Amino acid sequence: MRRLRVGCVGTGFIAGKHLHALAGLDDVEIVAVADAVPERARETADRFGARAHGDGLALLEGEDLDAVWLCVPPFAHGPLEAAAIDRGVPFFVEKPLATDMAVARTVADRVAASGLATGVGYHWRHLDVVRRAEELLAGRPAQLVTGYWLDKTPPVAWWARREHSGSQVIEQTTHIFDLARHLVGEVATVAGAERPAPDGQGDVPAAASALLGFASGAVGSISSARVLGWRHRVALHLVAEDLVVEITERGLTDHELRVVTADGEDVVRTDEDPILAEDREFLDVLLGRLPQARVPYDEALRTHALACAADRAARHGSAITLPDDDA
Ligand SMILES: NC(=O)c1ccc[n+]([C@@H]2O[C@H](COP(=O)([O-])OP(=O)(O)OC[C@H]3O[C@@H](n4cnc5c(N)ncnc54)[C@H](O)[C@@H]3O)[C@@H](O)[C@H]2O)c1
C-alpha cells in the first residue's frame, strides 16, 4: 500500500489532534513536524517518529512531502502557504485563514492559479448531526438564526491580541458563521457592536454581536463573549416553520443535535470525531478517491470574509453589505 508522506507545521493543541488522527491511519507516514519553539517540535517529533524542524519553511524546503498540515496561529499564515504552493505541496490548513482578508485573498488567488488541493478545518461540516440538520431544513428553511460562542479566554499567549488572533469573532465564532452559511445560505448584510476588552487583557473585545440579514430572507444574530471561567454555550439555533434545530459543541468530539417539533423533542448526543473525518477526506482527495475536500480554501474564504465583515462592523459600529470589497 502506498503511504502518503505528510508533515505538520505547528505542534500545539490542534496539531496534536490531527497528528493523533493521522498516526492511526495505515496509509500515512508522518515524516516531519516543525514549530517555532524547537523544543516543542522535538518532543512531538519523538512521539510520532518524525524529524523535527525549528521552522515551517525549513520543513517545506527540506522534506519531500505529499501534503502538509498547517496548524499555526492566525498571525503566522501567508509565508507557509506561499512556500507550500511554490513547492507544489497540497495543504490542509486550520481556520481561521489569517487575521484579516488581505493575506487570505492573496493565498486564495495563488491556490486558484496553482490548482493545488486544499482543505480547511471547518470540522462541524463533517458531523452526521449537521447532515441530519440539513435534511430537516431542506423542506423548511430557517427563518431565524441565533448563534453563540460564550466561553473563557483561551490561555495561549497569542489569543488576546487582535493583531495575533484577529479577534474572538474571527478565531472562534468563525465556526458558527460557517455553519450558518452552510445551513442557511449566504449573508447579505451584517451590522455589529462590541464591548471593549477587559482591563489589562489585550484588545480582543470582551463581547461582540453581529446582526445578520441572509440572502434567503432569514434574519439572525451571532454573539461572542470571552469573559467566563468556563465554556457556556457554543451553538447555532435555527427556527423554521414548526421546527427548532439546535446544534451544540461541548468539545471536539462532543456534539449535540436538539430538534423540537409540535410532536415533541428529540436529542442526539454524539462522540463522532470530525477531525479524523476531515483528515481522512483530505487524504482521499490526495489519493484521487474524491474530487475535492468539503471545505477547500475558496469555500473557507467566503466564511472568513463573513467573520471579518462581522468583526469590522462590530469594531466600527457600522453596517456592511456583502461582498465587502473594502475589506
Ligand atoms: N478546528 C478547531 O476547532 C480548532 C481548535 C483549536 C485550534 N484551532 C486553530 O488552530 C490554530 C492553532 O491553534 P492551537 O490551539 O493549536 O494553538 P497553539 O498555540 O496551541 O499552537 C500553535 C503552535 O504553532 C507554533 N507556531 C507559531 N508560529 C509558527 C510558525 N511560523 N511556524 C511554526 N510554528 C509556529 C507555536 O509555537 C505553537 O506551538 C489556530 O488558528 C486555531 O484557531 C482550530
Short mmCIF file of all heavy atoms in Angstrom, two decimals, residues 8-18 34-38 40-41 53-57 70-77 79-80 92-98 120-124 149 154 156-159 164-165 170-172 174-175 231 249 252 275 278, ligand 1:
data_model
loop_
_atom_site.label_atom_id
_atom_site.label_comp_id
_atom_site.label_asym_id
_atom_site.label_seq_id
_atom_site.Cartn_x
_atom_site.Cartn_y
_atom_site.Cartn_z
N CYS A 8 3.72 18.39 9.40
CA CYS A 8 2.82 19.26 10.14
C CYS A 8 3.61 20.46 10.68
O CYS A 8 4.64 20.27 11.33
CB CYS A 8 2.16 18.49 11.29
SG CYS A 8 0.96 19.47 12.22
N VAL A 9 3.11 21.65 10.39
CA VAL A 9 3.76 22.88 10.90
C VAL A 9 2.89 23.43 12.03
O VAL A 9 1.70 23.67 11.85
CB VAL A 9 3.93 23.92 9.78
CG1 VAL A 9 4.63 25.16 10.33
CG2 VAL A 9 4.72 23.32 8.63
N GLY A 10 3.53 23.65 13.18
CA GLY A 10 2.81 23.96 14.42
C GLY A 10 2.60 22.64 15.14
O GLY A 10 2.19 21.63 14.52
N THR A 11 2.96 22.61 16.43
CA THR A 11 2.78 21.36 17.19
C THR A 11 2.05 21.65 18.51
O THR A 11 2.34 21.07 19.54
CB THR A 11 4.15 20.68 17.49
OG1 THR A 11 4.96 21.60 18.21
CG2 THR A 11 4.84 20.25 16.22
N GLY A 12 1.09 22.59 18.43
CA GLY A 12 0.30 22.93 19.62
C GLY A 12 -0.94 22.06 19.75
O GLY A 12 -0.95 20.90 19.33
N PHE A 13 -1.99 22.64 20.32
CA PHE A 13 -3.20 21.89 20.67
C PHE A 13 -3.82 21.17 19.46
O PHE A 13 -3.98 19.95 19.46
CB PHE A 13 -4.23 22.84 21.31
CG PHE A 13 -5.57 22.21 21.47
CD1 PHE A 13 -5.79 21.31 22.50
CD2 PHE A 13 -6.60 22.49 20.60
CE1 PHE A 13 -7.03 20.69 22.65
CE2 PHE A 13 -7.85 21.89 20.74
CZ PHE A 13 -8.06 20.99 21.77
N ILE A 14 -4.14 21.94 18.42
CA ILE A 14 -4.91 21.30 17.33
C ILE A 14 -4.02 20.40 16.48
O ILE A 14 -4.47 19.38 15.95
CB ILE A 14 -5.66 22.35 16.46
CG1 ILE A 14 -6.80 21.69 15.69
CG2 ILE A 14 -4.74 23.10 15.53
CD1 ILE A 14 -7.93 21.15 16.53
N ALA A 15 -2.73 20.75 16.38
CA ALA A 15 -1.80 19.87 15.66
C ALA A 15 -1.79 18.49 16.32
O ALA A 15 -1.77 17.45 15.65
CB ALA A 15 -0.40 20.47 15.67
N GLY A 16 -1.83 18.48 17.67
CA GLY A 16 -1.84 17.21 18.39
C GLY A 16 -3.03 16.35 18.00
O GLY A 16 -2.91 15.12 17.84
N LYS A 17 -4.18 16.98 17.80
CA LYS A 17 -5.40 16.23 17.40
C LYS A 17 -5.23 15.66 15.99
O LYS A 17 -5.58 14.51 15.71
CB LYS A 17 -6.64 17.13 17.45
CG LYS A 17 -6.89 17.79 18.79
CD LYS A 17 -7.30 16.77 19.84
CE LYS A 17 -7.48 17.41 21.19
NZ LYS A 17 -7.58 16.45 22.28
N HIS A 18 -4.70 16.48 15.08
CA HIS A 18 -4.51 15.99 13.70
C HIS A 18 -3.46 14.88 13.66
O HIS A 18 -3.65 13.87 12.98
CB HIS A 18 -4.10 17.14 12.78
CG HIS A 18 -5.22 18.07 12.45
ND1 HIS A 18 -6.31 17.69 11.67
CD2 HIS A 18 -5.46 19.36 12.78
CE1 HIS A 18 -7.15 18.71 11.54
NE2 HIS A 18 -6.66 19.74 12.21
N ALA A 34 7.23 20.71 12.55
CA ALA A 34 8.00 21.93 12.80
C ALA A 34 7.24 22.80 13.78
O ALA A 34 6.01 22.81 13.80
CB ALA A 34 8.22 22.71 11.50
N ASP A 35 8.00 23.51 14.60
CA ASP A 35 7.39 24.50 15.48
C ASP A 35 8.40 25.61 15.71
O ASP A 35 9.61 25.36 15.74
CB ASP A 35 6.97 23.88 16.82
CG ASP A 35 5.93 24.73 17.54
OD1 ASP A 35 6.30 25.81 18.08
OD2 ASP A 35 4.75 24.34 17.56
N ALA A 36 7.87 26.84 15.89
CA ALA A 36 8.75 27.97 16.17
C ALA A 36 9.46 27.78 17.51
O ALA A 36 10.49 28.40 17.76
CB ALA A 36 7.93 29.26 16.17
N VAL A 37 8.89 26.94 18.38
CA VAL A 37 9.57 26.58 19.64
C VAL A 37 10.21 25.20 19.40
O VAL A 37 9.52 24.18 19.40
CB VAL A 37 8.56 26.51 20.81
CG1 VAL A 37 9.25 26.13 22.10
CG2 VAL A 37 7.82 27.84 20.96
N PRO A 38 11.55 25.17 19.17
CA PRO A 38 12.21 23.93 18.74
C PRO A 38 11.98 22.76 19.71
O PRO A 38 11.83 21.61 19.27
CB PRO A 38 13.69 24.31 18.68
CG PRO A 38 13.70 25.79 18.52
CD PRO A 38 12.48 26.31 19.22
N ARG A 40 9.41 22.09 21.49
CA ARG A 40 8.07 21.54 21.23
C ARG A 40 8.10 20.65 19.98
O ARG A 40 7.52 19.57 19.95
CB ARG A 40 7.10 22.70 20.99
CG ARG A 40 5.88 22.65 21.87
CD ARG A 40 5.02 23.86 21.64
NE ARG A 40 5.15 24.82 22.71
CZ ARG A 40 4.63 26.05 22.70
NH1 ARG A 40 3.95 26.47 21.64
NH2 ARG A 40 4.77 26.85 23.72
N ALA A 41 8.80 21.13 18.96
CA ALA A 41 8.90 20.34 17.72
C ALA A 41 9.59 19.01 18.01
O ALA A 41 9.15 17.95 17.54
CB ALA A 41 9.68 21.13 16.66
N HIS A 53 11.83 20.14 12.86
CA HIS A 53 12.39 21.37 12.33
C HIS A 53 11.96 22.51 13.24
O HIS A 53 10.85 22.51 13.77
CB HIS A 53 11.86 21.66 10.91
CG HIS A 53 12.30 20.64 9.90
ND1 HIS A 53 13.42 20.79 9.11
CD2 HIS A 53 11.76 19.44 9.56
CE1 HIS A 53 13.55 19.74 8.32
NE2 HIS A 53 12.55 18.90 8.57
N GLY A 54 12.84 23.54 13.37
CA GLY A 54 12.52 24.69 14.20
C GLY A 54 11.79 25.77 13.42
O GLY A 54 11.53 26.85 13.94
N ASP A 55 11.41 25.43 12.17
CA ASP A 55 10.84 26.46 11.30
C ASP A 55 10.06 25.75 10.18
O ASP A 55 10.57 24.80 9.55
CB ASP A 55 12.04 27.25 10.77
CG ASP A 55 11.71 28.22 9.67
OD1 ASP A 55 10.57 28.24 9.20
OD2 ASP A 55 12.63 28.95 9.28
N GLY A 56 8.85 26.21 9.94
CA GLY A 56 7.99 25.57 8.93
C GLY A 56 8.54 25.68 7.52
O GLY A 56 8.36 24.79 6.69
N LEU A 57 9.23 26.81 7.24
CA LEU A 57 9.77 26.99 5.89
C LEU A 57 10.90 25.98 5.65
O LEU A 57 11.03 25.43 4.56
CB LEU A 57 10.28 28.42 5.70
CG LEU A 57 9.19 29.49 5.81
CD1 LEU A 57 9.79 30.89 5.69
CD2 LEU A 57 8.11 29.30 4.75
N LEU A 70 -1.05 22.70 8.16
CA LEU A 70 -0.59 23.98 8.71
C LEU A 70 -1.47 24.32 9.92
O LEU A 70 -2.64 24.68 9.77
CB LEU A 70 -0.68 25.08 7.64
CG LEU A 70 0.13 24.81 6.36
CD1 LEU A 70 -0.09 25.92 5.34
CD2 LEU A 70 1.62 24.63 6.66
N CYS A 71 -0.92 24.14 11.11
CA CYS A 71 -1.68 24.28 12.36
C CYS A 71 -1.08 25.37 13.22
O CYS A 71 -0.78 25.17 14.40
CB CYS A 71 -1.70 22.94 13.11
SG CYS A 71 -2.46 21.62 12.16
N VAL A 72 -0.90 26.54 12.61
CA VAL A 72 -0.25 27.66 13.29
C VAL A 72 -1.30 28.71 13.66
O VAL A 72 -2.41 28.71 13.12
CB VAL A 72 0.83 28.29 12.38
CG1 VAL A 72 1.97 27.31 12.17
CG2 VAL A 72 0.24 28.75 11.06
N PRO A 73 -0.97 29.62 14.58
CA PRO A 73 -1.92 30.68 14.94
C PRO A 73 -2.22 31.60 13.76
O PRO A 73 -1.43 31.67 12.80
CB PRO A 73 -1.20 31.43 16.06
CG PRO A 73 -0.13 30.51 16.55
CD PRO A 73 0.27 29.69 15.37
N PRO A 74 -3.32 32.34 13.83
CA PRO A 74 -3.77 33.16 12.70
C PRO A 74 -2.70 34.10 12.14
O PRO A 74 -2.60 34.29 10.93
CB PRO A 74 -4.94 33.96 13.28
CG PRO A 74 -5.47 33.06 14.37
CD PRO A 74 -4.29 32.34 14.94
N PHE A 75 -1.85 34.69 13.01
CA PHE A 75 -0.87 35.68 12.53
C PHE A 75 0.23 35.05 11.69
O PHE A 75 0.97 35.75 10.99
CB PHE A 75 -0.24 36.42 13.72
CG PHE A 75 0.63 35.54 14.59
CD1 PHE A 75 1.95 35.28 14.26
CD2 PHE A 75 0.10 34.95 15.74
CE1 PHE A 75 2.74 34.46 15.06
CE2 PHE A 75 0.89 34.13 16.54
CZ PHE A 75 2.20 33.88 16.19
N ALA A 76 0.40 33.72 11.76
CA ALA A 76 1.55 33.07 11.11
C ALA A 76 1.24 32.62 9.67
O ALA A 76 2.09 32.00 9.02
CB ALA A 76 2.00 31.88 11.95
N HIS A 77 0.05 32.92 9.18
CA HIS A 77 -0.30 32.48 7.82
C HIS A 77 0.28 33.41 6.75
O HIS A 77 0.54 34.58 7.00
CB HIS A 77 -1.82 32.40 7.66
CG HIS A 77 -2.41 31.30 8.46
ND1 HIS A 77 -2.23 29.98 8.14
CD2 HIS A 77 -3.14 31.33 9.59
CE1 HIS A 77 -2.84 29.23 9.05
NE2 HIS A 77 -3.40 30.02 9.94
N PRO A 79 3.36 33.17 4.61
CA PRO A 79 4.62 32.61 4.10
C PRO A 79 4.58 31.08 3.97
O PRO A 79 5.14 30.52 3.02
CB PRO A 79 5.64 33.03 5.16
CG PRO A 79 5.03 34.18 5.88
CD PRO A 79 3.54 34.00 5.82
N LEU A 80 3.91 30.40 4.90
CA LEU A 80 3.87 28.93 4.86
C LEU A 80 3.07 28.45 3.66
O LEU A 80 3.50 27.53 2.93
CB LEU A 80 3.28 28.39 6.17
CG LEU A 80 4.10 28.69 7.42
CD1 LEU A 80 3.29 28.41 8.69
CD2 LEU A 80 5.40 27.88 7.41
N PHE A 92 -3.50 21.18 4.10
CA PHE A 92 -4.68 21.29 4.96
C PHE A 92 -4.35 22.36 5.98
O PHE A 92 -3.32 22.28 6.66
CB PHE A 92 -4.97 19.96 5.67
CG PHE A 92 -6.22 20.02 6.51
CD1 PHE A 92 -7.43 19.57 6.00
CD2 PHE A 92 -6.19 20.56 7.78
CE1 PHE A 92 -8.59 19.65 6.76
CE2 PHE A 92 -7.35 20.65 8.55
CZ PHE A 92 -8.55 20.19 8.03
N VAL A 93 -5.21 23.37 6.10
CA VAL A 93 -4.89 24.49 6.99
C VAL A 93 -6.01 24.68 8.00
O VAL A 93 -7.19 24.54 7.67
CB VAL A 93 -4.63 25.77 6.15
CG1 VAL A 93 -5.85 26.18 5.34
CG2 VAL A 93 -4.18 26.92 7.03
N GLU A 94 -5.62 24.96 9.23
CA GLU A 94 -6.63 25.23 10.25
C GLU A 94 -7.25 26.61 10.05
O GLU A 94 -6.61 27.53 9.54
CB GLU A 94 -6.01 25.11 11.66
CG GLU A 94 -6.20 23.74 12.28
CD GLU A 94 -7.68 23.32 12.39
OE1 GLU A 94 -8.56 24.19 12.36
OE2 GLU A 94 -7.94 22.11 12.49
N LYS A 95 -8.50 26.73 10.46
CA LYS A 95 -9.14 28.04 10.48
C LYS A 95 -8.59 28.84 11.64
O LYS A 95 -8.06 28.20 12.58
CB LYS A 95 -10.68 27.93 10.58
CG LYS A 95 -11.23 26.91 11.57
CD LYS A 95 -10.76 26.92 12.99
CE LYS A 95 -11.11 28.16 13.79
NZ LYS A 95 -10.58 28.09 15.21
N PRO A 96 -8.68 30.16 11.67
CA PRO A 96 -9.07 30.99 10.54
C PRO A 96 -7.93 31.08 9.53
O PRO A 96 -6.79 30.81 9.87
CB PRO A 96 -9.32 32.35 11.19
CG PRO A 96 -8.34 32.40 12.32
CD PRO A 96 -8.30 30.98 12.85
N LEU A 97 -8.26 31.50 8.28
CA LEU A 97 -7.25 31.52 7.23
C LEU A 97 -6.14 32.51 7.54
O LEU A 97 -5.01 32.34 7.08
CB LEU A 97 -7.90 31.87 5.89
CG LEU A 97 -8.98 30.87 5.42
CD1 LEU A 97 -9.56 31.32 4.09
CD2 LEU A 97 -8.42 29.45 5.33
N ALA A 98 -6.46 33.56 8.29
CA ALA A 98 -5.49 34.60 8.65
C ALA A 98 -6.17 35.52 9.65
O ALA A 98 -7.31 35.28 10.05
CB ALA A 98 -5.08 35.38 7.39
N VAL A 120 -9.67 22.91 4.64
CA VAL A 120 -9.64 23.85 5.77
C VAL A 120 -10.48 23.28 6.92
O VAL A 120 -11.52 22.65 6.70
CB VAL A 120 -10.18 25.24 5.34
CG1 VAL A 120 -10.08 26.23 6.51
CG2 VAL A 120 -9.39 25.77 4.14
N GLY A 121 -9.99 23.53 8.16
CA GLY A 121 -10.54 22.85 9.34
C GLY A 121 -11.87 23.35 9.88
O GLY A 121 -12.00 23.52 11.10
N TYR A 122 -12.85 23.58 9.01
CA TYR A 122 -14.21 23.87 9.50
C TYR A 122 -14.88 22.53 9.76
O TYR A 122 -15.72 22.06 8.98
CB TYR A 122 -14.96 24.73 8.48
CG TYR A 122 -14.52 26.18 8.53
CD1 TYR A 122 -13.73 26.73 7.53
CD2 TYR A 122 -14.87 26.98 9.61
CE1 TYR A 122 -13.31 28.05 7.59
CE2 TYR A 122 -14.45 28.31 9.69
CZ TYR A 122 -13.68 28.83 8.68
OH TYR A 122 -13.25 30.14 8.76
N HIS A 123 -14.51 21.91 10.91
CA HIS A 123 -14.83 20.49 11.11
C HIS A 123 -16.30 20.20 11.37
O HIS A 123 -16.74 19.08 11.21
CB HIS A 123 -13.97 19.94 12.27
CG HIS A 123 -14.27 20.59 13.58
ND1 HIS A 123 -13.45 21.54 14.12
CD2 HIS A 123 -15.31 20.45 14.45
CE1 HIS A 123 -13.96 21.95 15.27
NE2 HIS A 123 -15.09 21.31 15.49
N TRP A 124 -17.10 21.21 11.77
CA TRP A 124 -18.52 20.94 12.05
C TRP A 124 -19.21 20.33 10.83
O TRP A 124 -20.15 19.56 10.95
CB TRP A 124 -19.27 22.22 12.43
CG TRP A 124 -18.88 22.87 13.71
CD1 TRP A 124 -17.63 23.22 14.13
CD2 TRP A 124 -19.77 23.30 14.77
NE1 TRP A 124 -17.69 23.84 15.36
CE2 TRP A 124 -18.98 23.91 15.77
CE3 TRP A 124 -21.16 23.23 14.95
CZ2 TRP A 124 -19.53 24.44 16.95
CZ3 TRP A 124 -21.70 23.77 16.11
CH2 TRP A 124 -20.90 24.36 17.10
N TRP A 149 -20.92 31.99 20.80
CA TRP A 149 -19.64 31.43 21.28
C TRP A 149 -19.37 32.13 22.61
O TRP A 149 -18.76 33.21 22.66
CB TRP A 149 -18.49 31.65 20.29
CG TRP A 149 -17.37 30.70 20.61
CD1 TRP A 149 -16.58 30.71 21.73
CD2 TRP A 149 -16.94 29.56 19.84
NE1 TRP A 149 -15.69 29.66 21.69
CE2 TRP A 149 -15.89 28.94 20.55
CE3 TRP A 149 -17.35 29.02 18.62
CZ2 TRP A 149 -15.24 27.80 20.08
CZ3 TRP A 149 -16.69 27.89 18.15
CH2 TRP A 149 -15.65 27.29 18.88
N PRO A 154 -9.11 31.79 25.81
CA PRO A 154 -8.12 30.72 25.69
C PRO A 154 -6.79 31.14 26.31
O PRO A 154 -6.40 32.31 26.22
CB PRO A 154 -8.00 30.53 24.18
CG PRO A 154 -9.30 31.01 23.64
CD PRO A 154 -9.70 32.15 24.51
N VAL A 156 -3.67 30.55 25.51
CA VAL A 156 -2.45 30.73 24.70
C VAL A 156 -2.11 32.22 24.56
O VAL A 156 -3.00 33.07 24.42
CB VAL A 156 -2.59 30.08 23.30
CG1 VAL A 156 -2.42 28.58 23.40
CG2 VAL A 156 -3.93 30.42 22.66
N ALA A 157 -0.79 32.52 24.56
CA ALA A 157 -0.31 33.91 24.66
C ALA A 157 -0.79 34.78 23.50
O ALA A 157 -1.00 35.98 23.67
CB ALA A 157 1.22 33.90 24.71
N TRP A 158 -0.95 34.17 22.32
CA TRP A 158 -1.25 34.99 21.15
C TRP A 158 -2.71 35.41 21.06
O TRP A 158 -3.06 36.32 20.28
CB TRP A 158 -0.87 34.22 19.86
CG TRP A 158 -1.39 32.82 19.75
CD1 TRP A 158 -0.75 31.67 20.14
CD2 TRP A 158 -2.67 32.40 19.24
NE1 TRP A 158 -1.53 30.57 19.89
CE2 TRP A 158 -2.72 30.99 19.33
CE3 TRP A 158 -3.76 33.07 18.69
CZ2 TRP A 158 -3.82 30.25 18.91
CZ3 TRP A 158 -4.86 32.34 18.27
CH2 TRP A 158 -4.88 30.95 18.38
N TRP A 159 -3.59 34.80 21.85
CA TRP A 159 -5.02 34.89 21.56
C TRP A 159 -5.64 36.27 21.80
O TRP A 159 -6.51 36.72 21.04
CB TRP A 159 -5.78 33.84 22.38
CG TRP A 159 -7.15 33.61 21.84
CD1 TRP A 159 -7.53 32.71 20.88
CD2 TRP A 159 -8.35 34.31 22.21
NE1 TRP A 159 -8.87 32.81 20.64
CE2 TRP A 159 -9.40 33.79 21.42
CE3 TRP A 159 -8.62 35.33 23.11
CZ2 TRP A 159 -10.71 34.24 21.53
CZ3 TRP A 159 -9.93 35.81 23.20
CH2 TRP A 159 -10.96 35.27 22.42
N HIS A 164 -2.73 39.28 16.51
CA HIS A 164 -2.28 37.89 16.51
C HIS A 164 -3.40 36.89 16.19
O HIS A 164 -3.19 35.91 15.47
CB HIS A 164 -1.65 37.54 17.87
CG HIS A 164 -0.39 38.29 18.13
ND1 HIS A 164 0.02 38.70 19.37
CD2 HIS A 164 0.56 38.74 17.26
CE1 HIS A 164 1.16 39.36 19.28
NE2 HIS A 164 1.51 39.39 18.02
N SER A 165 -4.58 37.12 16.76
CA SER A 165 -5.68 36.14 16.57
C SER A 165 -6.73 36.63 15.57
O SER A 165 -7.51 35.83 15.06
CB SER A 165 -6.38 35.87 17.91
OG SER A 165 -7.04 37.03 18.37
N ILE A 170 -13.26 36.30 14.68
CA ILE A 170 -12.52 35.74 13.54
C ILE A 170 -11.89 34.38 13.90
O ILE A 170 -11.80 33.49 13.05
CB ILE A 170 -11.43 36.76 13.09
CG1 ILE A 170 -12.12 37.95 12.42
CG2 ILE A 170 -10.41 36.11 12.15
CD1 ILE A 170 -11.18 39.12 12.10
N GLU A 171 -11.50 34.21 15.16
CA GLU A 171 -10.75 33.00 15.52
C GLU A 171 -11.66 31.85 15.97
O GLU A 171 -11.41 30.70 15.63
CB GLU A 171 -9.74 33.35 16.64
CG GLU A 171 -8.57 32.40 16.75
CD GLU A 171 -8.81 31.22 17.66
OE1 GLU A 171 -9.69 31.32 18.54
OE2 GLU A 171 -8.14 30.19 17.49
N GLN A 172 -12.71 32.16 16.75
CA GLN A 172 -13.56 31.09 17.29
C GLN A 172 -14.94 31.08 16.63
O GLN A 172 -15.39 30.06 16.09
CB GLN A 172 -13.76 31.26 18.81
CG GLN A 172 -12.49 31.01 19.61
CD GLN A 172 -12.73 31.14 21.11
OE1 GLN A 172 -13.38 32.06 21.58
NE2 GLN A 172 -12.17 30.20 21.87
N THR A 174 -15.98 32.07 14.07
CA THR A 174 -15.97 31.73 12.64
C THR A 174 -16.63 30.37 12.37
O THR A 174 -17.26 30.17 11.35
CB THR A 174 -14.53 31.79 12.08
OG1 THR A 174 -14.58 31.65 10.67
CG2 THR A 174 -13.61 30.71 12.67
N HIS A 175 -16.49 29.40 13.31
CA HIS A 175 -17.16 28.10 13.13
C HIS A 175 -18.68 28.28 13.04
O HIS A 175 -19.35 27.58 12.29
CB HIS A 175 -16.87 27.19 14.33
CG HIS A 175 -15.55 26.49 14.27
ND1 HIS A 175 -15.18 25.62 13.27
CD2 HIS A 175 -14.50 26.51 15.14
CE1 HIS A 175 -13.97 25.14 13.51
NE2 HIS A 175 -13.53 25.66 14.63
N ARG A 231 -16.60 27.16 29.35
CA ARG A 231 -17.36 27.22 28.10
C ARG A 231 -18.84 27.08 28.44
O ARG A 231 -19.25 26.04 28.98
CB ARG A 231 -16.92 26.10 27.16
CG ARG A 231 -17.79 26.03 25.92
CD ARG A 231 -17.36 24.95 24.96
NE ARG A 231 -16.19 25.35 24.20
CZ ARG A 231 -15.90 24.87 22.98
NH1 ARG A 231 -16.68 23.97 22.40
NH2 ARG A 231 -14.83 25.27 22.36
N GLU A 249 -21.69 22.41 20.39
CA GLU A 249 -20.39 21.74 20.54
C GLU A 249 -19.92 21.93 21.98
O GLU A 249 -19.73 23.06 22.44
CB GLU A 249 -19.35 22.32 19.57
CG GLU A 249 -18.00 21.63 19.72
CD GLU A 249 -16.97 22.05 18.67
OE1 GLU A 249 -17.03 21.53 17.55
OE2 GLU A 249 -16.12 22.91 18.98
N LEU A 252 -14.34 18.89 21.02
CA LEU A 252 -14.11 18.50 19.62
C LEU A 252 -14.81 17.19 19.25
O LEU A 252 -15.16 16.97 18.10
CB LEU A 252 -12.60 18.36 19.36
CG LEU A 252 -11.84 19.67 19.13
CD1 LEU A 252 -10.36 19.39 18.96
CD2 LEU A 252 -12.40 20.43 17.93
N ILE A 275 -12.41 15.64 13.41
CA ILE A 275 -11.01 15.93 13.00
C ILE A 275 -10.50 14.75 12.16
O ILE A 275 -9.93 14.93 11.08
CB ILE A 275 -10.11 16.16 14.23
CG1 ILE A 275 -10.68 17.30 15.10
CG2 ILE A 275 -8.67 16.44 13.82
CD1 ILE A 275 -10.68 18.67 14.49
N GLU A 278 -12.25 14.88 8.71
CA GLU A 278 -11.76 15.86 7.72
C GLU A 278 -10.37 15.47 7.23
O GLU A 278 -10.04 15.69 6.06
CB GLU A 278 -11.79 17.29 8.28
CG GLU A 278 -10.84 17.56 9.42
CD GLU A 278 -11.03 18.92 10.08
OE1 GLU A 278 -11.90 19.70 9.66
OE2 GLU A 278 -10.28 19.20 11.04
N1 LIG B 1 -10.84 23.40 14.29
C1 LIG B 1 -10.88 23.72 15.57
O1 LIG B 1 -11.88 23.56 16.25
C2 LIG B 1 -9.68 24.31 16.21
C3 LIG B 1 -9.43 24.08 17.57
C4 LIG B 1 -8.29 24.67 18.14
C5 LIG B 1 -7.45 25.48 17.37
N2 LIG B 1 -7.75 25.69 16.05
C6 LIG B 1 -6.94 26.61 15.23
O2 LIG B 1 -5.64 26.09 15.06
C7 LIG B 1 -4.69 27.16 15.09
C8 LIG B 1 -3.67 26.85 16.19
O3 LIG B 1 -4.34 26.80 17.43
P1 LIG B 1 -3.74 25.97 18.66
O4 LIG B 1 -4.82 25.96 19.67
O5 LIG B 1 -3.16 24.69 18.18
O6 LIG B 1 -2.58 26.97 19.12
P2 LIG B 1 -1.29 26.61 19.99
O7 LIG B 1 -0.76 27.92 20.47
O8 LIG B 1 -1.59 25.52 20.94
O9 LIG B 1 -0.28 26.01 18.90
C9 LIG B 1 0.25 26.77 17.86
C10 LIG B 1 1.70 26.34 17.66
O10 LIG B 1 2.21 26.98 16.48
C11 LIG B 1 3.56 27.38 16.74
N3 LIG B 1 3.91 28.42 15.77
C12 LIG B 1 3.59 29.72 15.77
N4 LIG B 1 4.06 30.32 14.67
C13 LIG B 1 4.71 29.38 13.95
C14 LIG B 1 5.42 29.38 12.73
N5 LIG B 1 5.52 30.49 11.99
N6 LIG B 1 5.99 28.23 12.32
C15 LIG B 1 5.89 27.11 13.05
N7 LIG B 1 5.22 27.04 14.22
C16 LIG B 1 4.63 28.17 14.67
C17 LIG B 1 3.56 27.82 18.19
O11 LIG B 1 4.86 27.80 18.75
C18 LIG B 1 2.62 26.77 18.82
O12 LIG B 1 3.33 25.63 19.30
C19 LIG B 1 -5.48 28.44 15.35
O13 LIG B 1 -5.71 29.11 14.14
C20 LIG B 1 -6.80 27.96 15.90
O14 LIG B 1 -7.89 28.77 15.56
C21 LIG B 1 -8.81 25.10 15.46
#
